[in-house]
């Protein structure tokens, strides 16, 4: 026999018993692992046959140890070695899938099947040709024979080569996976790869000792259990993580993750493409670490914000969604930024905004010029007609002049509506609050609307609640505009009957009702009553002209003052509009009984004449007719009025003459009102530097008054010039001066 080491080591009864016991234990462990796999997912579908093949190999090895027939032992050992080939192929298949290798597995699989098939045929038929290995019978004890491999042949060498080709391919697959994967997967791949050292050691031990005890199969079992633990115990969601990683890599948003110290731990491909650079952690940290260091991650768990980065000298704009992570003790542990490149959208909207602003400026400029172009001749018409009304004694001519005045008022109202609507749409209209007496405001509204009602022969009444506080705080001018709009609208749509206005105090605000006996509004038209440019479609009122902006402007003004407006109507019977506007009480004393002063126009004009003998006034306007209108308004005031046809002519007068008040037109050909005013302020030893200076302008767009006041003007007076406002301004500023 010449094999003393067999009886001393490997043929020991205890050793055989121990090996079989260990094999059974491993079979049980592998079976438990296989049963615990839920069978869902490709990873599970690959692990189950891998574990099953390990069980099968161990059982074959035990059967081989206990075999009593040489031919049977040869066949079992051949099948066992074939199972090792298949087990290794299963390990390779799992490695290629798990590391997401981009190889043609079908071609490799077909080639290996050929090798494994020829290997299996040679091994299983070894009992006939003995080209793989030979067995020698060993009698362990009386009646018990073991078969020990005595020598190996060419086919066994072929079997070893096939096995190690498969092992080498598996090692290469894991090596490529380690080099190309993120740090989260490298450790896992490396752990599975290290488990191969156990397999190789066991197989080498079996080959070196030529033992019938196949240590390699136990090593394969250990490796299978290690893979199970790594993949399904320590990383139960391995397949989901692979999928999530692929999603993160391929998603169209840039993803970058930081740890608690602001160090980059992950960034996907899209992120690097957004920075237009190769993957460089230092580059990423340098680009956005300032936002991390600013402490934004400590504010909230999640946030959305915008980020501007300099990418190769060009500004790029990103929309960032950040998510922060905390441990159980609420300590910050890291965060991720999801970055969406919005550069193209930012550029588009920036250009759109610029174009819109340019369009808005152009529209404002056109509106300003149009307003000026209309108001300048309207000022002459309005002013000259006013002088006819003041000075003419012929009743017939006065009647004509009244009609001209009414038409002029309608024209100016229409222009004011367009300007107001434009200002509201551009959000440039601002409220100007002041203390005021509600009874005086109501009288102004009545005086501004009574002539229209009288011309149509309507019963027109205005009442004011006695309980209303005597002094309120709010935008008196805009409240008057709201009331005038509603009353004028009621008069326009009422051919006979009445228009009744009632103003009361209700819950810290003014509540006004305007009721008429007009044509009413159809039910289907009520929904668009306050829409811009909307007019009630009715053939019976087609003759009533207007822009359709009055009620829309009224509704917007009410909304700006946090009020409410509503209407109800019966078609053919009449309408009722109700407005509520909150106001602040400055004096809770009640106004008491309210009277409307029925003073005639001539008395009102006579009472309004402002006399200030010796006062000096300078009016600067390039339009001769406008200067004449201005002078005619003040010809009974006994003031000395000087005229200048342009900016330079005005400056020549301002050098030597001292005035009490100065009026300067805004739009003049040589130099406009702004430039004239600035040069006057810059003149040395000018006696008029501190004199009240009023801007005369046909531009009534929102914000112009603030602009004039900002540059130093005392006030502004819009065209057409209202003589009452002009005289009020003279009383105010000449008295102060």
């Amino acid at each position: 026999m010449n094999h003393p080491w067999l009886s001393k080591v490997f043929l020991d009864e205890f050793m055989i018993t121990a090996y079989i016991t260990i094999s059974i234990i491993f079979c049980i462990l592998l079976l438990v692992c296989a049963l615990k796999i839920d069978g869902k997912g490709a990873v599970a579908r690959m692990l189950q046959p891998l574990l099953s093949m390990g069980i099968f190999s161990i059982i074959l090895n035990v059967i081989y140890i206990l075999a009593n027939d040489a031919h049977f032992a040869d066949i079992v050992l051949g099948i066992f070695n074939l199972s090792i080939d298949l087990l290794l192929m299963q390990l390779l298949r799992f490695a290629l899938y798990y590391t997401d290798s981009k190889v043609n597995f079908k071609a490799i699989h077909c080639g290996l099947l050929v090798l494994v098939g020829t290997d299996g045929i040679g091994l299983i038929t070894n009992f006939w040709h003995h080209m793989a290995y030979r067995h020698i019978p060993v009698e362990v004890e009386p009646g018990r024979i073991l078969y020990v491999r005595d020598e190996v042949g060419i086919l066994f060498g072929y079997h070893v080569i096939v096995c190690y080709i498969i092992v080498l391919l598996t090692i290469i697959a894991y090596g490529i996976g380690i080099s190309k994967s993120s740090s989260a997967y490298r450790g896992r791949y490396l752990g599975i790869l290290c488990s191969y050292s156990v397999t190789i050691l066991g197989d080498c031990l079996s080959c070196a000792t030529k033992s019938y005890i196949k240590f390699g199969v136990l090593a394969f079992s250990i490796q299978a259990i290690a893979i199970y633990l790594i993949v399904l115990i320590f990383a139960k969601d391995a397949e989901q993580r692979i999928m999530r990683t692929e999603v993160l890599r391929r998603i169209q948003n840039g993803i970058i993750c930081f740890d608690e110290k602001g160090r980059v731990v992950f960034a996907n491909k899209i992120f690097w493409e957004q920075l237009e650079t190769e993957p460089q952690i230092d580059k990423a940290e340098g680009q956005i670490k300032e936002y991390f260091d600013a402490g934004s991650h400590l504010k909230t768990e999640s946030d959305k914000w915008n980020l501007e980065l300099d990418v190769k000298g060009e500004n790029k704009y990103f929309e960032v969604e950040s998510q922060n992570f905390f441990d159980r003790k609420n300590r910050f542990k890291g965060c991720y930024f999801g970055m969406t490149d919005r550069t193209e959208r930012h550029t588009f909207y920036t250009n759109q905004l610029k174009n819109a602003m340019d369009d808005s400026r152009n529209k404002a400029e056109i509106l300003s010029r149009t307003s000026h172009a209309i108001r300048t001749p309207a000022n002459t018409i309005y002013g000259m007609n006013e002088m006819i009304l003041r000075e003419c004694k012929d009743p017939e001519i006065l009647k004509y002049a009244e009609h001209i005045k009414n038409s002029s008022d309608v024209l100016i109202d229409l222009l004011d509506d367009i300007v107001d609507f434009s200002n509201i749409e551009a959000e440039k209209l601002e409220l100007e609050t002041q203390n005021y007496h509600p009874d005086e405001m109501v009288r102004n509204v009545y005086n501004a609307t009574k002539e229209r009602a009288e011309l149509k022969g309507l019963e027109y009444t205005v009442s004011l609640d006695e309980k209303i506080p005597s002094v309120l705080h709010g935008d008196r001018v805009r409240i008057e505009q709201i009331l005038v709009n509603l009353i004028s609208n009621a008069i326009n749509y009422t051919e006979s009957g009445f228009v009744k206005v009632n103003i009361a105090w209700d819950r810290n605000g003014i509540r006004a009702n305007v009721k008429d006996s007009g044509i009413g509004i159809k039910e289907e038209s009520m929904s668009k009553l306050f829409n811009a440019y909307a007019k009630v479609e009715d053939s019976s009122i087609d003759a009533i002209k207007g822009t359709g902006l009055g009620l829309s402007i009224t509704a917007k003004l009410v909304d700006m003052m946090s009020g409410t407006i509503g209407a109800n109507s019966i078609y053919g019977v009449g309408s009722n509009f109700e407005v509520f506007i909150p106001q602040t009480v400055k004096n809770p004393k009640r106004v008491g009984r309210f009277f409307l002063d029925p003073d005639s126009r001539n008395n009102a004009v006579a009472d309004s004449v402002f006399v200030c003998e010796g006062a000096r006034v300078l009016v600067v306007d390039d339009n001769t007719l406008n200067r004449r209108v201005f002078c005619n308004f003040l010809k009974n005031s006994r003031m000395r009025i000087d005229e200048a046809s342009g900016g330079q002519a005005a400056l020549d007068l301002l050098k030597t003459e001292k005035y009490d008040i100065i009026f300067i037109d805004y739009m003049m050909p040589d130099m406009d009102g702004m430039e004239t005013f600035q040069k006057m302020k810059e003149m040395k030893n000018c006696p008029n530097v501190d004199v009240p200076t009023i801007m005369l302008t046909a531009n009534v767009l929102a914000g112009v008054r603030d602009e004039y006041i900002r540059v130093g003007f005392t006030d502004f007076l819009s065209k057409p010039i209202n003589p009452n406002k002009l005289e009020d301004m003279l009383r105010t500023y000449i008295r102060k001066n």
Side-chain angles (χ1 to χ4, degrees), residues 84-122:
I84 297 299
D85 290 345
L86 296 174
L87 179 61
L88 289 173
M89 279 190 65
Q90 194 67 29
L91 286 169
L92 173 60
R93 184 183 174 207
F94 179 82
L96 290 172
Y97 174 81
Y98 196 56
T99 59
D100 193 30
S101 297
K102 310 296 182 183
V103 297
N104 189 346
F105 179 73
K106 287 185 178 179
I108 296 175
H109 190 257
C110 291
L112 290 177
L113 278 177
V114 172
L115 296 177
V116 171
T118 56
D119 186 33
I121 293 172

Short mmCIF file of all heavy atoms in Angstrom, two decimals, residues 84-122:
data_model
loop_
_atom_site.label_atom_id
_atom_site.label_comp_id
_atom_site.label_asym_id
_atom_site.label_seq_id
_atom_site.Cartn_x
_atom_site.Cartn_y
_atom_site.Cartn_z
N ILE A 84 -19.65 20.44 -9.00
CA ILE A 84 -18.74 21.54 -8.69
C ILE A 84 -18.67 22.51 -9.87
O ILE A 84 -18.68 23.73 -9.71
CB ILE A 84 -17.34 21.00 -8.33
CG1 ILE A 84 -17.41 20.13 -7.06
CG2 ILE A 84 -16.36 22.14 -8.14
CD1 ILE A 84 -17.89 20.86 -5.84
N ASP A 85 -18.59 21.96 -11.10
CA ASP A 85 -18.60 22.82 -12.29
C ASP A 85 -19.85 23.69 -12.33
O ASP A 85 -19.78 24.90 -12.58
CB ASP A 85 -18.54 21.96 -13.56
CG ASP A 85 -17.18 21.27 -13.75
OD1 ASP A 85 -16.23 21.69 -13.07
OD2 ASP A 85 -17.10 20.34 -14.57
N LEU A 86 -20.98 23.05 -12.10
CA LEU A 86 -22.26 23.78 -12.17
C LEU A 86 -22.38 24.81 -11.05
O LEU A 86 -22.93 25.91 -11.23
CB LEU A 86 -23.42 22.78 -12.12
CG LEU A 86 -23.50 21.81 -13.30
CD1 LEU A 86 -24.60 20.78 -13.08
CD2 LEU A 86 -23.72 22.56 -14.60
N LEU A 87 -21.86 24.44 -9.87
CA LEU A 87 -21.87 25.38 -8.74
C LEU A 87 -21.05 26.61 -9.07
O LEU A 87 -21.46 27.75 -8.82
CB LEU A 87 -21.35 24.68 -7.48
CG LEU A 87 -21.27 25.53 -6.20
CD1 LEU A 87 -22.65 26.03 -5.80
CD2 LEU A 87 -20.65 24.73 -5.07
N LEU A 88 -19.87 26.40 -9.66
CA LEU A 88 -19.01 27.52 -10.05
C LEU A 88 -19.67 28.38 -11.13
O LEU A 88 -19.57 29.61 -11.12
CB LEU A 88 -17.66 27.01 -10.52
CG LEU A 88 -16.74 26.42 -9.44
CD1 LEU A 88 -15.51 25.78 -10.07
CD2 LEU A 88 -16.33 27.49 -8.45
N MET A 89 -20.36 27.73 -12.07
CA MET A 89 -21.07 28.49 -13.11
C MET A 89 -22.18 29.35 -12.50
O MET A 89 -22.43 30.48 -12.92
CB MET A 89 -21.66 27.54 -14.15
CG MET A 89 -20.67 27.06 -15.19
SD MET A 89 -21.47 26.18 -16.55
CE MET A 89 -22.43 27.50 -17.26
N GLN A 90 -22.85 28.77 -11.50
CA GLN A 90 -23.90 29.53 -10.83
C GLN A 90 -23.31 30.74 -10.10
O GLN A 90 -23.88 31.84 -10.10
CB GLN A 90 -24.64 28.63 -9.83
CG GLN A 90 -25.96 29.18 -9.33
CD GLN A 90 -27.01 29.26 -10.42
OE1 GLN A 90 -26.98 28.49 -11.37
NE2 GLN A 90 -27.89 30.24 -10.32
N LEU A 91 -22.13 30.57 -9.49
CA LEU A 91 -21.44 31.69 -8.83
C LEU A 91 -21.05 32.77 -9.85
O LEU A 91 -21.16 33.97 -9.58
CB LEU A 91 -20.20 31.19 -8.09
CG LEU A 91 -20.45 30.43 -6.78
CD1 LEU A 91 -19.17 29.76 -6.30
CD2 LEU A 91 -20.99 31.37 -5.71
N LEU A 92 -20.59 32.34 -11.03
CA LEU A 92 -20.22 33.29 -12.07
C LEU A 92 -21.44 34.06 -12.57
O LEU A 92 -21.40 35.28 -12.75
CB LEU A 92 -19.55 32.55 -13.23
CG LEU A 92 -19.25 33.40 -14.49
CD1 LEU A 92 -18.32 34.56 -14.15
CD2 LEU A 92 -18.66 32.54 -15.59
N ARG A 93 -22.52 33.33 -12.80
CA ARG A 93 -23.75 33.99 -13.26
C ARG A 93 -24.22 35.04 -12.27
O ARG A 93 -24.61 36.15 -12.62
CB ARG A 93 -24.82 32.92 -13.47
CG ARG A 93 -26.11 33.47 -14.04
CD ARG A 93 -27.15 32.36 -14.14
NE ARG A 93 -28.42 32.92 -14.56
CZ ARG A 93 -29.60 32.40 -14.28
NH1 ARG A 93 -29.67 31.30 -13.56
NH2 ARG A 93 -30.72 32.94 -14.70
N PHE A 94 -24.18 34.67 -10.98
CA PHE A 94 -24.58 35.62 -9.94
C PHE A 94 -23.66 36.84 -9.92
O PHE A 94 -24.12 37.98 -9.80
CB PHE A 94 -24.56 34.93 -8.57
CG PHE A 94 -24.94 35.84 -7.44
CD1 PHE A 94 -26.28 36.08 -7.14
CD2 PHE A 94 -23.97 36.47 -6.67
CE1 PHE A 94 -26.63 36.93 -6.10
CE2 PHE A 94 -24.31 37.32 -5.63
CZ PHE A 94 -25.65 37.55 -5.35
N ALA A 95 -22.35 36.62 -10.07
CA ALA A 95 -21.37 37.72 -10.05
C ALA A 95 -21.61 38.68 -11.20
O ALA A 95 -21.56 39.91 -11.04
CB ALA A 95 -19.95 37.16 -10.11
N LEU A 96 -21.89 38.15 -12.40
CA LEU A 96 -22.11 39.01 -13.57
C LEU A 96 -23.36 39.87 -13.39
O LEU A 96 -23.39 41.04 -13.74
CB LEU A 96 -22.22 38.16 -14.84
CG LEU A 96 -20.92 37.49 -15.30
CD1 LEU A 96 -21.20 36.53 -16.44
CD2 LEU A 96 -19.89 38.53 -15.71
N TYR A 97 -24.41 39.27 -12.84
CA TYR A 97 -25.63 40.05 -12.62
C TYR A 97 -25.46 41.06 -11.50
O TYR A 97 -25.80 42.23 -11.62
CB TYR A 97 -26.80 39.13 -12.30
CG TYR A 97 -28.05 39.91 -11.93
CD1 TYR A 97 -28.86 40.45 -12.92
CD2 TYR A 97 -28.38 40.14 -10.60
CE1 TYR A 97 -29.98 41.19 -12.59
CE2 TYR A 97 -29.49 40.88 -10.25
CZ TYR A 97 -30.30 41.41 -11.25
OH TYR A 97 -31.39 42.16 -10.93
N TYR A 98 -24.89 40.60 -10.39
CA TYR A 98 -24.83 41.44 -9.19
C TYR A 98 -23.93 42.65 -9.39
O TYR A 98 -24.15 43.70 -8.78
CB TYR A 98 -24.35 40.58 -8.01
CG TYR A 98 -24.60 41.22 -6.66
CD1 TYR A 98 -25.89 41.61 -6.30
CD2 TYR A 98 -23.57 41.42 -5.76
CE1 TYR A 98 -26.13 42.18 -5.07
CE2 TYR A 98 -23.80 41.99 -4.52
CZ TYR A 98 -25.08 42.37 -4.19
OH TYR A 98 -25.32 42.94 -2.98
N THR A 99 -22.88 42.51 -10.20
CA THR A 99 -21.98 43.64 -10.45
C THR A 99 -22.39 44.43 -11.68
O THR A 99 -21.68 45.35 -12.09
CB THR A 99 -20.53 43.15 -10.63
OG1 THR A 99 -20.49 42.24 -11.74
CG2 THR A 99 -20.02 42.47 -9.39
N ASP A 100 -23.54 44.06 -12.28
CA ASP A 100 -24.06 44.77 -13.45
C ASP A 100 -23.03 44.82 -14.57
O ASP A 100 -22.79 45.87 -15.18
CB ASP A 100 -24.50 46.19 -13.06
CG ASP A 100 -25.34 46.84 -14.15
OD1 ASP A 100 -26.04 46.10 -14.88
OD2 ASP A 100 -25.27 48.07 -14.30
N SER A 101 -22.39 43.67 -14.83
CA SER A 101 -21.37 43.61 -15.87
C SER A 101 -22.00 43.73 -17.25
O SER A 101 -23.03 43.11 -17.53
CB SER A 101 -20.60 42.29 -15.79
OG SER A 101 -19.93 42.19 -14.56
N LYS A 102 -21.37 44.55 -18.10
CA LYS A 102 -21.88 44.77 -19.45
C LYS A 102 -21.22 43.79 -20.43
O LYS A 102 -20.48 44.16 -21.33
CB LYS A 102 -21.62 46.22 -19.89
CG LYS A 102 -22.05 47.27 -18.89
CD LYS A 102 -23.56 47.25 -18.69
CE LYS A 102 -24.00 48.35 -17.72
NZ LYS A 102 -25.44 48.31 -17.45
N VAL A 103 -21.45 42.49 -20.23
CA VAL A 103 -20.86 41.48 -21.11
C VAL A 103 -21.98 40.62 -21.69
O VAL A 103 -23.10 40.58 -21.16
CB VAL A 103 -19.86 40.58 -20.35
CG1 VAL A 103 -18.70 41.40 -19.83
CG2 VAL A 103 -20.56 39.84 -19.21
N ASN A 104 -21.65 39.94 -22.78
CA ASN A 104 -22.61 39.04 -23.42
C ASN A 104 -22.59 37.71 -22.68
O ASN A 104 -21.82 36.81 -23.01
CB ASN A 104 -22.26 38.87 -24.90
CG ASN A 104 -23.35 38.13 -25.65
OD1 ASN A 104 -24.25 37.53 -25.06
ND2 ASN A 104 -23.28 38.19 -26.96
N PHE A 105 -23.44 37.60 -21.66
CA PHE A 105 -23.42 36.41 -20.82
C PHE A 105 -23.85 35.16 -21.60
O PHE A 105 -23.37 34.06 -21.32
CB PHE A 105 -24.32 36.60 -19.60
CG PHE A 105 -24.37 35.39 -18.70
CD1 PHE A 105 -23.27 35.07 -17.91
CD2 PHE A 105 -25.47 34.56 -18.66
CE1 PHE A 105 -23.29 33.96 -17.09
CE2 PHE A 105 -25.50 33.45 -17.85
CZ PHE A 105 -24.40 33.15 -17.05
N LYS A 106 -24.71 35.33 -22.58
CA LYS A 106 -25.16 34.16 -23.34
C LYS A 106 -24.00 33.46 -24.05
O LYS A 106 -23.91 32.23 -24.07
CB LYS A 106 -26.23 34.59 -24.35
CG LYS A 106 -27.57 34.93 -23.72
CD LYS A 106 -28.62 35.22 -24.77
CE LYS A 106 -29.97 35.51 -24.11
NZ LYS A 106 -31.00 35.81 -25.14
N ALA A 107 -23.09 34.28 -24.64
CA ALA A 107 -21.94 33.70 -25.34
C ALA A 107 -21.03 32.96 -24.35
O ALA A 107 -20.57 31.84 -24.60
CB ALA A 107 -21.16 34.79 -26.07
N ILE A 108 -20.78 33.60 -23.19
CA ILE A 108 -19.94 32.97 -22.16
C ILE A 108 -20.62 31.70 -21.65
O ILE A 108 -19.98 30.65 -21.47
CB ILE A 108 -19.69 33.95 -21.00
CG1 ILE A 108 -18.87 35.15 -21.50
CG2 ILE A 108 -18.99 33.27 -19.84
CD1 ILE A 108 -18.67 36.22 -20.46
N HIS A 109 -21.91 31.78 -21.44
CA HIS A 109 -22.67 30.65 -20.91
C HIS A 109 -22.62 29.46 -21.86
O HIS A 109 -22.40 28.30 -21.44
CB HIS A 109 -24.12 31.08 -20.68
CG HIS A 109 -24.93 30.08 -19.93
ND1 HIS A 109 -25.84 29.24 -20.53
CD2 HIS A 109 -24.96 29.77 -18.60
CE1 HIS A 109 -26.39 28.46 -19.63
NE2 HIS A 109 -25.89 28.75 -18.44
N CYS A 110 -22.77 29.71 -23.16
CA CYS A 110 -22.73 28.62 -24.15
C CYS A 110 -21.34 27.97 -24.20
O CYS A 110 -21.21 26.74 -24.25
CB CYS A 110 -23.11 29.16 -25.53
SG CYS A 110 -24.84 29.63 -25.66
N GLY A 111 -20.30 28.83 -24.16
CA GLY A 111 -18.93 28.30 -24.19
C GLY A 111 -18.64 27.45 -22.98
O GLY A 111 -18.04 26.36 -23.09
N LEU A 112 -19.07 27.91 -21.81
CA LEU A 112 -18.82 27.16 -20.58
C LEU A 112 -19.62 25.86 -20.54
O LEU A 112 -19.17 24.84 -20.01
CB LEU A 112 -19.14 28.03 -19.37
CG LEU A 112 -18.18 29.20 -19.11
CD1 LEU A 112 -18.66 30.03 -17.93
CD2 LEU A 112 -16.76 28.69 -18.85
N LEU A 113 -20.83 25.90 -21.09
CA LEU A 113 -21.64 24.68 -21.12
C LEU A 113 -20.96 23.58 -21.93
O LEU A 113 -21.02 22.39 -21.57
CB LEU A 113 -23.03 24.98 -21.70
CG LEU A 113 -24.06 25.58 -20.73
CD1 LEU A 113 -25.36 25.88 -21.45
CD2 LEU A 113 -24.31 24.64 -19.55
N VAL A 114 -20.32 23.99 -23.02
CA VAL A 114 -19.57 23.01 -23.83
C VAL A 114 -18.45 22.40 -23.00
O VAL A 114 -18.25 21.17 -22.96
CB VAL A 114 -19.02 23.66 -25.11
CG1 VAL A 114 -18.09 22.70 -25.85
CG2 VAL A 114 -20.17 24.09 -26.02
N LEU A 115 -17.68 23.28 -22.31
CA LEU A 115 -16.57 22.79 -21.50
C LEU A 115 -17.05 21.91 -20.36
O LEU A 115 -16.50 20.83 -20.10
CB LEU A 115 -15.77 23.98 -20.94
CG LEU A 115 -15.05 24.88 -21.95
CD1 LEU A 115 -14.39 26.05 -21.23
CD2 LEU A 115 -14.02 24.09 -22.73
N VAL A 116 -18.09 22.37 -19.67
CA VAL A 116 -18.63 21.61 -18.54
C VAL A 116 -19.24 20.30 -19.02
O VAL A 116 -19.12 19.25 -18.37
CB VAL A 116 -19.66 22.46 -17.77
CG1 VAL A 116 -20.40 21.61 -16.73
CG2 VAL A 116 -18.96 23.63 -17.09
N GLY A 117 -19.91 20.33 -20.20
CA GLY A 117 -20.52 19.11 -20.72
C GLY A 117 -19.49 18.04 -21.03
O GLY A 117 -19.65 16.86 -20.64
N THR A 118 -18.41 18.42 -21.72
CA THR A 118 -17.35 17.43 -22.02
C THR A 118 -16.67 16.95 -20.75
O THR A 118 -16.32 15.77 -20.62
CB THR A 118 -16.31 18.06 -22.97
OG1 THR A 118 -15.80 19.27 -22.39
CG2 THR A 118 -16.93 18.38 -24.31
N ASP A 119 -16.50 17.87 -19.79
CA ASP A 119 -15.89 17.50 -18.50
C ASP A 119 -16.78 16.50 -17.78
O ASP A 119 -16.31 15.48 -17.24
CB ASP A 119 -15.69 18.75 -17.66
CG ASP A 119 -14.93 18.46 -16.37
OD1 ASP A 119 -14.07 17.55 -16.39
OD2 ASP A 119 -15.20 19.14 -15.37
N GLY A 120 -18.09 16.75 -17.79
CA GLY A 120 -19.02 15.86 -17.10
C GLY A 120 -19.05 14.47 -17.71
O GLY A 120 -19.07 13.46 -16.99
N ILE A 121 -19.04 14.41 -19.04
CA ILE A 121 -19.04 13.10 -19.71
C ILE A 121 -17.79 12.30 -19.34
O ILE A 121 -17.85 11.09 -19.02
CB ILE A 121 -19.14 13.29 -21.23
CG1 ILE A 121 -20.51 13.88 -21.60
CG2 ILE A 121 -18.93 11.95 -21.95
CD1 ILE A 121 -20.62 14.29 -23.04
N GLY A 122 -16.65 12.97 -19.38
CA GLY A 122 -15.40 12.28 -19.04
C GLY A 122 -15.37 11.81 -17.62
O GLY A 122 -14.88 10.71 -17.32
#
